[in-house]
Amino acid sequence: MALIEGVRVRNYRALRDVMLGKLSTGSSAAPLTPFTVVIGKNGAGKSTLFDAFGFVADCLSFDVETACDMKQRGGFERLRSLGCDEAIHFEIYYREGQGERPITYELAITLDESGRPIVESEVLKQRRKGQKHGRPHPFLRLNHGVGRVWSGEEALEAETAEEDTAHHLVELTDLRQLGIATLGTLKEHPRIKRFRDFLKGWYLSYFYPDAARGLPSAGPQKHLNSHGDNLANVVQFMEREHGDRFQAILHRIASKIPGVSSINTQVTQDKRVLLQFNDGAFQDPFFAQQMSDGTLKVFAYLLLLEDPEPPPFICIEEPENGLYHKLLGTLAREFRTHATGKKSAPQLFVTTHQPYFVDALAPEEVWILAKGEDGYSTVQRASDLEIVKNLVAEGLPLGSLWYSDYLDAG
Ligand SMILES: Nc1ncnc2c1ncn2[C@@H]1O[C@H](COP(=O)(O)OP(=O)(O)O)[C@@H](O)[C@H]1O
Ligand SMILES: [Mg+2]
């Protein structure tokens, strides 16, 4: 399964320089786990980190200027860390599958002379075949839209300019578009294409229950969208394409939601699918429109995880909102099971500040964001805190340590 083993974000809002997991440099750090959770007090930078992933995804889907101006981002000047005039940098250290050589993607975004955001530089690099250690070499290197690309599966930049005969020169016409967006569509660059496809597949959940209560009539849709407003369409798709399997999925989901004894579907005359939640206490079922926010939300998350072709990387912000506290442990364990199960399992990245959710986690899975004295975020892995490791080994759940402030120790 594909795994982001590490990320580094620089100069993005409060994230002046944060590193999580393993990167191409500083290789002694352990990689991120398939289920990674970031905790922190208000203002620590959780939403910012979540949005950093969203921002990179938007840069690819749209362009860097549009991404800067989207939603609550408010433009490049507001995105760049205060007191800093360097480019915003992202680094993603990623492995397509076990045994594959990791790929590093570096992206820097800055302003041009007229004050518009542009891609300053972009690099994709990898170690040579058979090399487990040492420096990775670029197979894409762009600076202000001009640079070199090495095609095929193996070619990489050579040590010296004279030896470096395998590259092609590239010049992009639009500095607002990512190079991987353009080059990733070309057959001769399969590595870039795969990375682009991976990035394109990221799922950032901006689920809000009211959206999921709608009854869109557009027909079956394969995947849940980020707001969840096509929940009914996905149900329709699952019902049609995976009938038997879907019944089993509904059964499994129902068993995880307290107060729900079974979930059925009902097809209306105009072929829409209604979700019917049966509560043991009442004879008549409830429909999605009448269900509590929390129930709908858990249903949507579990359905997302049961997707036969799940997104490779799923980010969820504060899944606890609106949920009964005892459900949180179940949800955390479901997340882990799905993230570590099958070959096509998605990697899950979750932010939270709910101790009950954290109780179900292992120290390696948890990263603690905090606001440093200089106002910028700092991050630490819970397993790197000696006291936390010891207390967890003694049987104390991690969430209780978070609750009683042990996790701020560092
Ligand atoms: N451009 C910026 N430079 C530095 N800090 C910023 C910038 N923009 C926002 N911040 C700070 O980033 C912090 C992070 O907030 P946020 O990510 O929403 O935290 P959380 O989601 O953990 O509550 C806020 O305290 C805010 O003051
Ligand atoms: Mg937040």
Side-chain angles (χ1 to χ4, degrees), residues 252-261 263 277 294-295 298-299 302 327:
R252 210 160 43 239
I253 294 179
S255 72
K256 308 274 187 233
I257 308 180
V260 174
S261 57
I263 305 172
F277 294 82
T295 310
V298 174
F299 178 76
L302 296 179
L327 198 52

Side-chain angles (χ1 to χ4, degrees), residues 13-14 41-48 78 80-82 371:
R13 300 204 126 141
K41 297 178 186 168
N42 291 329
K46 299 185 297 298
S47 300
T48 311
R78 285 182 53 193
R80 178 155 60 185
S81 298
L82 289 174
K371 210 178 175 80

Side-chain angles (χ1 to χ4, degrees), residues 125-399:
K125 54 188 184 180
Q126 194 170 36
R127 290 204 184 89
R128 292 200 195 289
K129 200 172 179 180
Q131 277 190 344
K132 286 233 155 52
H133 305 282
R135 192 168 69 86
H137 298 268
F139 56 92
L140 171 70
R141 188 201 274 286
L142 291 172
N143 235 307
H144 290 88
V146 183
R148 296 170 174 199
V149 62
W150 289 259
S151 42
E153 295 285 359
E154 298 302 337
L156 296 168
E157 187 179 71
E159 298 295 341
T160 62
E162 299 81 63
E163 288 173 78
D164 198 39
T165 49
H167 66 262
H168 301 277
L169 297 176
V170 247
E171 184 164 357
L172 303 177
T173 52
D174 183 356
L175 292 186
R176 270 159 270 283
Q177 293 285 352
L178 299 190
I180 58 169
T182 318
L183 295 164
T185 60
L186 301 178
K187 213 169 160 185
E188 60 259 44
H189 304 305
R191 290 172 293 186
I192 304 180
K193 178 191 181 303
R194 286 197 301 272
F195 182 75
R196 170 184 166 274
D197 289 350
F198 167 68
L199 227 165
K200 269 236 182 275
W202 288 7
Y203 179 89
L204 282 101
S205 171
Y206 296 94
F207 181 80
Y208 60 100
D210 266 345
R213 289 200 175 89
L215 258 187
S217 52
Q221 286 173 23
K222 206 166 172 184
H223 300 293
L224 194 65
N225 65 24
S226 65
H227 292 296
D229 54 15
N230 66 341
L231 188 65
N233 308 78
V234 176
V235 167
Q236 201 172 348
F237 179 86
M238 296 273 254
E239 173 104 301
R240 193 188 69 188
E241 302 291 314
H242 311 279
D244 289 347
R245 183 171 172 178
F246 185 51
Q247 291 313 315
I249 290 174
L250 287 182
H251 192 70
R252 210 160 43 239
I253 294 179
S255 72
K256 308 274 187 233
I257 308 180
V260 174
S261 57
S262 65
I263 305 172
N264 307 96
T265 51
Q266 200 183 33
V267 183
T268 62
Q269 268 191 334
D270 58 355
K271 301 292 174 225
R272 286 180 296 180
V273 177
L274 293 179
L275 269 178
Q276 234 177 267
F277 294 82
N278 304 295
D279 176 325
F282 299 100
Q283 219 166 21
D284 292 329
F286 292 106
F287 292 95
Q289 289 65 31
Q290 304 159 284
M291 288 313 287
S292 78
D293 286 6
T295 310
L296 265 187
K297 192 162 156 170
V298 174
F299 178 76
Y301 289 153
L302 296 179
L303 191 66
L304 177 69
L305 296 176
E306 297 280 3
D307 189 328
E309 293 166 35
F313 181 58
I314 298 176
C315 294
I316 298 177
E317 197 176 12
E318 298 178 7
E320 65 261 31
N321 296 337
L323 294 193
Y324 173 51
H325 64 277
K326 289 195 177 157
L327 198 52
L328 294 171
T330 311
L331 192 61
R333 282 184 289 274
E334 280 297 306
F335 281 168
R336 177 184 306 113
T337 306
H338 280 90
T340 49
K342 304 179 289 274
K343 201 159 173 265
S344 65
Q347 183 171 14
L348 274 161
F349 184 93
V350 173
T351 68
T352 186
H353 43 56
Q354 228 304 333
Y356 287 99
F357 191 88
V358 181
D359 267 346
L361 308 174
E364 299 71 48
E365 293 171 324
V366 176
W367 294 79
I368 309 145
L369 269 177
K371 210 178 175 80
E373 271 171 22
D374 57 4
Y376 298 125
S377 301
T378 60
V379 72
Q380 266 189 308
R381 199 171 200 162
S383 53
D384 288 338
L385 298 172
E386 206 56 36
I387 180 156
V388 170
K389 254 187 15 200
N390 295 340
L391 290 171
V392 168
E394 281 173 27
L396 280 166
L398 201 54

Side-chain angles (χ1 to χ4, degrees), residues 13-145:
R13 300 204 126 141
L15 311 178
R16 182 67 210 263
D17 190 356
V18 301
M19 280 183 262
L20 286 87
K22 189 181 167 105
L23 294 162
S24 63
T25 48
S27 55
S28 63
L32 292 174
T33 39
F35 178 36
T36 290
V37 179
V38 173
I39 63 175
K41 297 178 186 168
N42 291 329
K46 299 185 297 298
S47 300
T48 311
L49 186 55
F50 175 89
D51 185 53
F53 287 112
F55 179 73
V56 173
D58 288 338
C59 285
L60 175 66
S61 294
F62 305 96
D63 60 70
V64 295
E65 185 173 26
T66 310
C68 286
D69 294 339
M70 274 171 89
K71 297 174 208 142
Q72 312 87 353
R73 293 196 188 116
F76 184 90
E77 297 286 8
R78 285 182 53 193
L79 286 181
R80 178 155 60 185
S81 298
L82 289 174
C84 160
D85 54 11
E86 295 157 21
I88 299 176
H89 286 261
F90 301 94
E91 183 177 335
I92 297 165
Y93 187 70
Y94 152 83
R95 204 187 281 271
E96 278 172 1
Q98 260 173 355
E100 303 282 345
R101 276 169 294 157
I103 287 172
T104 303
Y105 179 60
E106 294 170 0
L107 170 65
I109 294 165
T110 191
L111 294 177
D112 67 11
E113 295 91 60
S114 62
R116 286 178 71 184
I118 52 163
V119 182
E120 183 183 70
S121 63
E122 230 178 323
V123 174
L124 272 169
K125 54 188 184 180
Q126 194 170 36
R127 290 204 184 89
R128 292 200 195 289
K129 200 172 179 180
Q131 277 190 344
K132 286 233 155 52
H133 305 282
R135 192 168 69 86
H137 298 268
F139 56 92
L140 171 70
R141 188 201 274 286
L142 291 172
N143 235 307
H144 290 88

